[in-house]
Amino acid sequence: MKRFSILILSVALTGFFSFASAKSKESAKPFGFTIDKTSYEEALGIVQARKWRYQEYEKKQFREIDKKDPLRGKNTFLKVLPGDLEGVRSIFVFLGNESTLEALMVVIEPKMFDGVLRVLDSKYSQVERNLSGEKLDEPYPYVLWERGTDYIELQKVSSHRVRVLYVNKAVYANYRDFLNTNYERYVGKLEKKDWMNEL
Protein backbone atom coordinates (compact mmCIF):
# COMPACT_ATOMS: atom_id res chain seq x y z
CA MET A 1 0.00 0.00 0.00
CA LYS A 2 2.85 2.36 0.84
CA ARG A 3 4.48 1.67 -2.55
CA PHE A 4 1.19 2.36 -4.30
CA SER A 5 0.89 5.74 -2.52
CA ILE A 6 4.45 6.66 -3.50
CA LEU A 7 3.72 5.67 -7.11
CA ILE A 8 0.56 7.82 -7.19
CA LEU A 9 2.45 10.77 -5.68
CA SER A 10 5.27 10.36 -8.24
CA VAL A 11 2.82 10.31 -11.14
CA ALA A 12 1.01 13.39 -9.77
CA LEU A 13 4.25 15.34 -9.30
CA THR A 14 5.49 14.38 -12.78
CA GLY A 15 2.20 15.57 -14.27
CA PHE A 16 2.36 18.82 -12.31
CA PHE A 17 5.93 19.60 -13.38
CA SER A 18 5.15 18.69 -16.99
CA PHE A 19 2.17 21.06 -16.90
CA ALA A 20 4.24 23.83 -15.30
CA SER A 21 7.01 23.32 -17.88
CA ALA A 22 4.52 23.41 -20.77
CA LYS A 23 2.87 26.51 -19.31
CA SER A 24 6.18 28.35 -19.06
CA LYS A 25 6.80 27.71 -22.79
CA GLU A 26 3.49 29.29 -23.80
CA SER A 27 3.75 32.72 -25.33
CA ALA A 28 2.53 35.84 -23.58
CA LYS A 29 -0.83 37.05 -24.92
CA PRO A 30 -1.25 40.72 -24.07
CA PHE A 31 -4.73 41.91 -25.07
CA GLY A 32 -5.10 38.73 -27.18
CA PHE A 33 -2.02 39.34 -29.38
CA THR A 34 0.60 36.56 -29.65
CA ILE A 35 4.13 37.27 -30.88
CA ASP A 36 5.04 35.38 -34.10
CA LYS A 37 1.50 33.96 -34.34
CA THR A 38 -1.04 36.77 -34.67
CA SER A 39 -1.51 37.63 -38.35
CA TYR A 40 -2.10 41.12 -39.69
CA GLU A 41 -5.79 40.35 -40.27
CA GLU A 42 -6.16 38.92 -36.76
CA ALA A 43 -4.44 42.00 -35.29
CA LEU A 44 -6.85 44.28 -37.16
CA GLY A 45 -9.72 42.11 -35.95
CA ILE A 46 -8.66 42.55 -32.29
CA VAL A 47 -8.30 46.31 -32.71
CA GLN A 48 -11.60 46.72 -34.55
CA ALA A 49 -13.54 44.43 -32.19
CA ARG A 50 -12.45 46.62 -29.27
CA LYS A 51 -13.38 49.76 -31.27
CA TRP A 52 -9.89 51.21 -30.82
CA ARG A 53 -8.76 53.99 -33.16
CA TYR A 54 -5.61 53.22 -35.16
CA GLN A 55 -3.36 54.37 -37.97
CA GLU A 56 -0.82 52.26 -39.86
CA TYR A 57 2.73 53.44 -40.62
CA GLU A 58 5.73 52.16 -42.53
CA LYS A 59 8.48 51.10 -40.09
CA LYS A 60 11.44 52.72 -41.84
CA GLN A 61 10.10 56.06 -43.07
CA PHE A 62 7.15 56.43 -40.64
CA ARG A 63 5.01 57.14 -43.71
CA GLU A 64 1.27 56.71 -43.19
CA ILE A 65 -0.12 53.63 -44.95
CA ASP A 66 -3.49 54.04 -46.61
CA LYS A 67 -6.13 51.39 -45.87
CA LYS A 68 -6.08 50.38 -49.56
CA ASP A 69 -2.29 50.27 -49.91
CA PRO A 70 -1.04 46.81 -51.07
CA LEU A 71 1.90 47.10 -48.63
CA ARG A 72 -0.43 47.03 -45.61
CA GLY A 73 0.77 44.67 -42.90
CA LYS A 74 4.30 44.10 -44.26
CA ASN A 75 7.07 45.81 -42.27
CA THR A 76 4.55 48.27 -40.86
CA PHE A 77 3.17 49.11 -37.45
CA LEU A 78 -0.19 50.13 -36.12
CA LYS A 79 -0.38 52.97 -33.64
CA VAL A 80 -3.46 52.15 -31.60
CA LEU A 81 -5.28 54.55 -29.26
CA PRO A 82 -7.31 52.43 -26.82
CA GLY A 83 -9.63 54.96 -25.22
CA ASP A 84 -11.18 52.38 -22.89
CA LEU A 85 -7.99 51.25 -21.08
CA GLU A 86 -7.33 53.62 -18.20
CA GLY A 87 -3.59 54.19 -17.77
CA VAL A 88 -2.69 53.04 -21.31
CA ARG A 89 -1.66 55.88 -23.64
CA SER A 90 -1.11 53.86 -26.82
CA ILE A 91 -0.25 50.44 -28.20
CA PHE A 92 2.17 49.82 -31.08
CA VAL A 93 1.62 46.63 -33.10
CA PHE A 94 4.74 45.81 -35.18
CA LEU A 95 4.39 43.53 -38.20
CA GLY A 96 7.20 41.79 -40.11
CA ASN A 97 7.79 40.61 -43.69
CA GLU A 98 5.35 37.74 -43.33
CA SER A 99 2.49 39.96 -42.09
CA THR A 100 2.83 38.44 -38.64
CA LEU A 101 3.19 40.18 -35.29
CA GLU A 102 6.88 40.74 -34.46
CA ALA A 103 6.55 42.94 -31.39
CA LEU A 104 3.99 44.74 -29.27
CA MET A 105 4.69 47.89 -27.27
CA VAL A 106 2.26 49.23 -24.66
CA VAL A 107 2.89 52.84 -23.60
CA ILE A 108 1.51 53.41 -20.10
CA GLU A 109 1.11 56.28 -17.64
CA PRO A 110 4.24 56.59 -15.44
CA LYS A 111 2.12 56.18 -12.27
CA MET A 112 1.29 52.62 -13.45
CA PHE A 113 4.96 51.51 -13.31
CA ASP A 114 4.92 49.82 -9.87
CA GLY A 115 1.60 48.07 -10.42
CA VAL A 116 2.63 46.75 -13.84
CA LEU A 117 5.99 45.64 -12.41
CA ARG A 118 4.25 43.53 -9.75
CA VAL A 119 1.84 41.96 -12.25
CA LEU A 120 4.61 41.05 -14.72
CA ASP A 121 6.78 39.70 -11.88
CA SER A 122 3.97 37.34 -10.90
CA LYS A 123 3.43 36.06 -14.47
CA TYR A 124 6.88 35.74 -16.04
CA SER A 125 10.41 34.60 -15.15
CA GLN A 126 12.71 37.52 -14.43
CA VAL A 127 15.96 37.64 -16.44
CA GLU A 128 17.46 41.02 -15.55
CA ARG A 129 16.64 44.01 -13.39
CA ASN A 130 18.17 47.51 -13.40
CA LEU A 131 15.92 49.93 -11.56
CA SER A 132 18.26 52.04 -9.47
CA GLY A 133 20.85 52.93 -12.07
CA GLU A 134 23.54 50.51 -10.92
CA LYS A 135 24.53 49.90 -14.55
CA LEU A 136 25.86 53.18 -15.89
CA ASP A 137 26.00 51.93 -19.50
CA GLU A 138 22.21 51.44 -19.58
CA PRO A 139 20.24 54.45 -20.87
CA TYR A 140 17.19 53.92 -18.61
CA PRO A 141 15.83 51.71 -15.82
CA TYR A 142 14.18 48.47 -16.92
CA VAL A 143 13.16 44.96 -15.89
CA LEU A 144 13.40 42.06 -18.34
CA TRP A 145 11.37 38.84 -18.15
CA GLU A 146 11.03 35.83 -20.45
CA ARG A 147 8.28 33.45 -21.46
CA GLY A 148 9.13 30.71 -23.95
CA THR A 149 10.84 32.38 -26.95
CA ASP A 150 9.73 35.89 -25.95
CA TYR A 151 11.12 38.71 -23.85
CA ILE A 152 8.90 41.09 -21.93
CA GLU A 153 10.57 44.34 -20.86
CA LEU A 154 9.20 47.12 -18.67
CA GLN A 155 11.08 50.30 -19.59
CA LYS A 156 11.15 53.64 -17.79
CA VAL A 157 12.40 55.62 -20.76
CA SER A 158 11.97 58.94 -18.90
CA SER A 159 9.94 60.28 -16.02
CA HIS A 160 7.12 60.88 -18.53
CA ARG A 161 7.44 57.75 -20.70
CA VAL A 162 6.98 54.18 -19.51
CA ARG A 163 6.34 51.24 -21.80
CA VAL A 164 6.12 47.45 -21.88
CA LEU A 165 7.70 45.64 -24.82
CA TYR A 166 6.74 42.09 -25.92
CA VAL A 167 9.11 40.69 -28.54
CA ASN A 168 10.76 37.49 -29.78
CA LYS A 169 14.24 37.08 -28.28
CA ALA A 170 15.79 36.86 -31.77
CA VAL A 171 14.72 40.40 -32.72
CA TYR A 172 14.75 41.95 -29.23
CA ALA A 173 17.71 44.26 -30.03
CA ASN A 174 15.82 45.70 -33.04
CA TYR A 175 12.90 46.85 -30.90
CA ARG A 176 14.35 47.66 -27.49
CA ASP A 177 15.02 51.30 -28.38
CA PHE A 178 12.51 51.67 -31.23
CA LEU A 179 10.74 55.05 -31.13
CA ASN A 180 13.08 56.10 -28.33
CA THR A 181 15.82 58.70 -28.10
CA ASN A 182 18.70 57.47 -25.96
CA TYR A 183 19.95 59.55 -23.04
CA GLU A 184 23.21 60.38 -24.85
CA ARG A 185 21.29 62.50 -27.35
CA TYR A 186 20.07 64.72 -24.53
CA VAL A 187 23.54 65.36 -23.11
CA GLY A 188 24.38 68.08 -25.65
CA LYS A 189 21.16 69.93 -24.83
CA LEU A 190 21.90 70.28 -21.12
CA GLU A 191 22.20 73.87 -19.99
CA LYS A 192 25.74 74.84 -19.02
CA LYS A 193 26.82 77.95 -17.09
CA ASP A 194 30.34 79.30 -16.47
CA TRP A 195 30.05 78.87 -12.72
CA MET A 196 29.66 75.11 -13.19
CA ASN A 197 33.38 74.90 -13.99
CA GLU A 198 34.09 75.99 -10.42
CA LEU A 199 32.18 73.14 -8.85
Side-chain angles (χ1 to χ4, degrees), residues 149-196:
T149 58
D150 300 334
Y151 276 145
I152 301 98
E153 185 174 78
L154 176 62
Q155 307 171 331
K156 190 169 188 176
V157 179
S158 75
S159 58
H160 304 290
R161 292 183 64 218
V162 174
R163 57 196 199 174
V164 184
L165 174 66
Y166 296 82
V167 64
N168 185 290
K169 293 175 185 178
V171 293
Y172 165 68
N174 298 347
Y175 286 97
R176 184 170 197 250
D177 292 316
F178 198 87
L179 299 174
N180 179 44
T181 304
N182 285 335
Y183 175 75
E184 288 78 15
R185 294 184 188 170
Y186 291 108
V187 172
K189 296 178 184 177
L190 294 176
E191 190 173 349
K192 189 171 182 201
K193 301 289 182 190
D194 290 338
W195 59 261
M196 290 180 185

Side-chain angles (χ1 to χ4, degrees), residues 124-135:
Y124 307 115
S125 302
Q126 194 176 114
V127 175
E128 202 171 333
R129 184 182 192 107
N130 176 28
L131 291 179
S132 58
E134 62 265 12
K135 293 185 180 178

Side-chain angles (χ1 to χ4, degrees), residues 79-143:
K79 181 180 180 182
V80 180
L81 300 173
D84 60 339
L85 299 179
E86 187 180 347
V88 175
R89 291 181 174 175
S90 56
I91 299 172
F92 292 88
V93 179
F94 296 97
L95 300 142
N97 276 335
E98 305 296 320
S99 295
T100 308
L101 183 68
E102 266 192 350
L104 186 85
M105 186 181 295
V106 183
V107 181
I108 61 174
E109 295 287 343
K111 66 183 179 183
M112 309 300 289
F113 185 89
D114 291 331
V116 169
L117 173 60
R118 286 193 180 109
V119 168
L120 295 175
D121 243 353
S122 70
K123 292 178 76 174
Y124 307 115
S125 302
Q126 194 176 114
V127 175
E128 202 171 333
R129 184 182 192 107
N130 176 28
L131 291 179
S132 58
E134 62 265 12
K135 293 185 180 178
L136 297 176
D137 60 334
E138 291 296 337
Y140 49 77
Y142 66 92
V143 182

Side-chain angles (χ1 to χ4, degrees), residues 56 58 63 65 68-76 99:
E56 190 167 353
E58 190 180 87
R63 177 180 65 85
I65 301 285
K68 294 179 182 177
D69 193 317
L71 297 176
R72 288 173 43 230
K74 293 188 180 191
N75 286 319
T76 63
S99 295

